[in-house]
Amino acid sequence: MTDLKHIRNFSIIAHIDHGKSTLADRLIQLCGALSERELKDQMLDTMDIERERGITIKAQTVRLMYKAKDGETYQLNLMDTPGHVDFAYEVSRSLAACEGSLLVVDASQGVEAQTLANVYQAIDNNHEIIPVLNKVDLPAADPDRVKEQIEDVIGLDTSDALLVSAKTGKGVPEVLEALIHRLPPPKGDKTAPLKALLVDSWYDAYLGVIILVRIVDGLMKPGMKIKMMSTGSVYPIDQVGVFTPKRENLSALHPGEVGFFTAGIKAVSDCNIGDTITEDKRPTTDPLPGFKPSVPVVFCGLFPADAADFEHLRESLGKLRLNDASFMFEPESSAALGFGFRCGFLGLLHLEIIQERLEREFNLDLVTTAPSVVYKLYMTNGEMLELHNPADMPDVVRIAKMEEPWIKATILVPDEYLGSVLTLCTERRGVQLDLTYVGNRAMVVYRLPLNEVVFDFYDRLKSVSRGYASFDYQMDGYEEGQLVKLSILVNGDPVDALSTIVHRSHAESRGRALCERLKTLIPRQLFKIAIQASIGAKVIARETISALRKDVTAKCYGGDITRKRKLLEKQKAGKKRMRQIGNVEIPQSAFLAALKMGED
């Protein structure tokens, strides 16, 4: 067992693409945790989807043994965290299990929006923070300017910031020495009753549920009976161990250590992230504070393309929920799409990743409805309802007022793109709160309605700033708005999967664009199809798909015109009857393409 004063628990935090995962690779390499043959780039990004997109989605943990210059051997527990705002919940969980952080900042790009958000989370967790300037080997690197930025914007002392290049390995040994000398060791008492924090969990086809824990007090060893404090369920432990990054079984986990255990847990509902785990015979009296539960901000419906897959979708969502506690789901049904689930996410990228993971890891074929946010409806009888799905909106006469969620967004952008970013925010009904300069970059703070951001704000921001703007937001309460429900009717029938809630000023343009888009997507039938956008009973836009015409007079050659006319009249009557009883099947691809509609 390693003595407490020889243990260091730390996480690596940074903005997207500032080199967290590459730095983690170098640390693993220097500590000799893997042979040269086993090493590959982005060692800790284990999911295919992470490697393809080049982003970290799940926080990963590794135990490294490091022999310091003073001759002592130290145990380093490293957590590599994601950088995207949509995975901020992963970051908060990792930070709660550590005592210190390495703040990685790109020496050419400087402080970005997500750098700030993650640093504030680390400060909230009382972390000791070591600033690390990465990519100093790039020609555009300017470490002095970036140090100044860190002092101005974050207020951290950078006199002893480390200059490294994670790619070439320059300066990385100094990082290891700094971890040992500048971060505090964990506290803990191995004689006290077991107290462990449940940091993460995931499903393994062979072992059932694997749980990642940080031991605060006491020991955890195989054969011990443990109790989950929030649910009260009791399990005997099968095995305990750590990741080095390979899975390695141990005889026990001691205070201050981060490791995993399996206990034959079958029920997904028994694992609550942030729960306290204790010994059944000798329980601890007070549970750990845990994490604040995450609040989903974007909702959409997930439906199986084949209705027979509904149960499989339910199980798959349960297993994924185990691995990602920040999304919620509940059953719902739709007239157009059958049975499915209403799911809540932390953002659009989060939604995309969950959808892709369901399709890849569980072989599901899914249809998603338009993303929407949670509105508050104040009814005329005094009650307040939360509206997750636009299709469930009650009659307008019964609603006294509607409130929509607003966010406070921080955007960092180079000076030359500032104008187009301000225009974009104003178009989205934004209210400017603050504009300051850090070197040649502007930091803009805006209040924006969340439903304007959810749709395609991030993509538009990247395109107007050529990819240089960075964006981070937090929720900022609810406010009354002039909101209306925009319904789409195909052949007179409402399509609930396409109904959305929009601001009155944008309703007509959005409705017209949707109708035009659907006209190109819905295949032609033997009868005329009307596509309409309406607010209540008022139709605000219409497009018509003309009928396919079959030449019924082909068999008439020569002869009297009345024969041809008779056939055409018969066809006309048939089309009229078809239009009354005809059913228009909207293909799945048309749903997705209509929902992806940007500001084209």
Side-chain angles (χ1 to χ4, degrees):
M1 134 175 207
T2 311
D3 187 18
L4 265 178
K5 64 173 187 288
H6 287 140
I7 298 178
R8 298 289 182 274
N9 296 320
F10 68 99
S11 60
I12 304 183
I13 53 175
H15 187 76
I16 311 141
D17 279 344
H18 279 203
K20 296 176 293 297
S21 300
T22 313
L23 181 61
D25 289 349
R26 290 293 88 66
L27 295 174
I28 292 170
Q29 192 178 0
L30 271 178
C31 293
L34 292 171
S35 65
E36 285 298 323
R37 193 168 58 86
E38 293 168 311
L39 273 172
K40 57 181 185 215
D41 284 349
Q42 274 76 43
M43 195 57 229
L44 299 182
D45 291 347
T46 47
M47 291 194 293
D48 294 342
I49 187 168
E50 290 182 311
R51 303 190 76 79
E52 279 168 28
R53 287 175 176 244
I55 57 175
T56 304
I57 294 166
K58 289 294 299 171
Q60 297 286 357
T61 157
V62 188
R63 170 183 292 194
L64 305 171
M65 300 311 283
Y66 171 63
K67 195 165 186 225
K69 288 179 181 168
D70 58 9
E72 300 276 352
T73 301
Y74 288 86
Q75 174 191 318
L76 306 176
N77 293 314
L78 148 71
M79 298 247 183
D80 179 24
T81 63
H84 271 274
V85 60
D86 285 20
F87 309 116
Y89 192 61
E90 284 288 325
V91 181
S92 70
R93 302 212 309 257
S94 306
L95 295 179
C98 304
E99 283 80 34
S101 302
L102 289 180
L103 169 67
V104 179
V105 182
D106 184 327
S108 59
Q109 305 248 338
V111 175
E112 300 274 7
Q114 207 50 42
T115 317
L116 287 174
N118 288 342
V119 165
Y120 293 144
Q121 282 205 27
I123 293 170
D124 287 346
N125 281 302
N126 298 324
H127 273 205
E128 186 62 46
I129 299 171
I130 302 176
V132 177
L133 303 190
N134 190 17
K135 309 193 186 181
V136 291
D137 56 326
L138 292 182
D142 186 352
D144 296 335
R145 176 178 63 84
V146 176
K147 278 186 188 177
E148 231 173 89
Q149 255 189 17
I150 295 175
E151 289 192 349
D152 291 351
V153 182
I154 305 172
L156 278 180
D157 175 27
T158 53
S159 54
D160 47 3
L162 302 163
L163 303 181
V164 304
S165 162
K167 195 172 177 186
T168 61
K170 175 188 168 187
V172 180
E174 285 74 50
V175 174
L176 286 165
E177 287 295 317
L179 284 170
I180 288 160
H181 299 301
R182 286 160 63 177
L183 294 189
K187 298 180 177 70
D189 177 2
K190 72 173 192 184
T191 57
L194 172 68
K195 187 193 280 189
L197 176 68
L198 199 160
V199 182
D200 201 357
S201 56
W202 57 95
Y203 191 81
D204 182 286
Y206 302 103
L207 299 168
V209 178
I210 299 181
I211 292 184
L212 185 72
V213 286
R214 155 73 200 266
I215 311 287
V216 180
D217 288 326
L219 294 178
M220 182 180 271
K221 43 185 187 282
M224 175 190 262
K225 273 198 169 169
I226 51 135
K227 181 179 182 181
M228 307 276 191
M229 287 185 87
S230 68
T231 57
S233 41
V234 177
Y235 294 100
I237 292 184
D238 297 333
Q239 49 185 357
V240 301
V242 293
F243 294 99
T244 67
K246 296 176 290 193
R247 204 160 61 207
E248 193 177 289
N249 288 355
L250 296 176
S251 58
L253 285 174
H254 299 89
E257 297 188 334
V258 177
F260 72 87
F261 74 87
T262 60
I265 300 172
K266 300 284 187 297
V268 167
S269 55
D270 283 346
C271 302
N272 294 334
I273 302 285
D275 195 0
T276 305
I277 297 172
T278 186
E279 195 178 349
D280 186 34
K281 282 198 202 103
R282 197 171 64 125
T284 178
T285 47
D286 45 334
L288 295 159
F291 317 110
K292 289 200 291 268
S294 72
V295 180
V297 292
V298 178
F299 286 83
C300 84
L302 285 181
F303 294 86
D306 176 3
D309 284 342
F310 177 72
E311 277 306 317
H312 179 37
L313 175 61
R314 184 198 296 273
E315 281 171 27
S316 309
L317 281 168
K319 287 174 182 172
L320 251 194
R321 170 98 175 73
L322 192 68
N323 187 225
D324 183 350
S326 50
F327 87 96
M328 314 292 172
F329 65 95
E330 58 186 28
E332 75 160 350
S333 63
S334 140
L337 300 168
F339 290 101
F341 291 90
R342 189 89 193 146
C343 305
F345 307 92
L346 296 182
L348 273 192
L349 177 72
H350 190 205
L351 182 159
E352 222 176 290
I353 296 291
I354 293 284
Q355 188 191 342
E356 205 164 318
R357 284 184 70 184
L358 284 167
E359 287 174 355
R360 285 184 181 205
E361 294 172 28
F362 302 99
N363 294 326
L364 281 159
D365 192 5
L366 298 173
V367 178
T368 43
T369 62
S372 74
V373 298
V374 186
Y375 298 94
K376 287 185 176 172
L377 307 183
Y378 291 88
M379 313 305 280
T380 45
N381 62 2
E383 64 176 319
M384 192 275 282
L385 301 176
E386 284 198 344
L387 179 71
H388 292 248
N389 188 347
D392 301 336
M393 185 162 160
D395 192 358
V396 193
V397 188
R398 293 172 43 217
I399 303 172
K401 63 172 184 175
M402 263 179 98
E403 290 188 347
E404 58 180 337
W406 282 65
I407 59 169
K408 190 173 166 190
T410 309
I411 302 169
L412 282 145
V413 61
D415 199 19
E416 63 262 38
Y417 305 114
L418 179 62
S420 45
V421 169
L422 295 181
T423 311
L424 173 68
C425 291
T426 314
E427 271 172 20
R428 298 301 170 98
R429 303 190 281 130
V431 180
Q432 189 175 324
L433 299 180
D434 192 14
L435 172 59
T436 48
Y437 274 87
V438 183
N440 64 339
R441 298 170 72 220
M443 184 165 114
V444 201
V445 182
Y446 255 90
R447 276 194 86 227
L448 289 156
L450 184 62
N451 73 346
E452 297 283 348
V453 174
V454 149
F455 223 58
D456 57 351
F457 180 79
Y458 193 63
D459 300 342
R460 299 266 302 148
L461 179 69
K462 284 290 182 205
S463 62
V464 299
S465 68
R466 306 229 175 126
Y468 283 111
S470 63
F471 166 73
D472 177 56
Y473 67 85
Q474 65 254 20
M475 298 305 292
D476 194 31
Y478 276 75
E479 213 168 274
E480 190 178 345
Q482 292 288 312
L483 301 166
V484 289
K485 177 184 169 185
L486 179 70
S487 306
I488 299 292
L489 308 162
V490 175
N491 209 20
D493 296 330
V495 183
D496 56 356
L498 289 176
S499 55
T500 51
I501 288 176
V502 291
H503 195 263
R504 194 178 284 281
S505 61
H506 294 181
E508 198 171 319
S509 57
R510 181 67 62 82
R512 186 159 289 141
L514 258 171
C515 289
E516 283 169 10
R517 190 68 181 259
L518 282 170
K519 184 181 178 181
T520 61
L521 295 168
I522 294 177
R524 288 168 69 188
Q525 310 281 344
L526 288 169
F527 52 93
K528 227 183 332 185
I529 304 171
I531 301 170
Q532 297 162 307
S534 73
I535 297 173
K538 183 185 175 191
V539 174
I540 55 169
R542 171 182 170 131
E543 291 287 338
T544 308
I545 301 177
S546 52
L548 280 172
R549 182 151 176 264
K550 183 182 174 192
D551 188 1
V552 285
T553 59
K555 62 183 179 186
C556 298
Y557 45 92
D560 193 359
I561 184 72
T562 52
R563 286 179 64 200
K564 289 187 179 179
R565 197 167 288 146
K566 190 175 167 188
L567 285 168
L568 289 168
E569 289 296 329
K570 198 172 167 188
Q571 183 187 34
K572 200 168 164 187
K575 281 188 189 292
K576 191 175 173 186
R577 195 168 75 248
M578 264 170 121
R579 195 157 81 227
Q580 286 165 351
I581 60 169
N583 230 343
V584 183
E585 284 288 320
I586 303 178
Q588 308 281 350
S589 56
F591 271 117
L592 294 176
L595 300 177
K596 285 209 170 87
M597 186 188 72
E599 305 279 308
D600 351 299

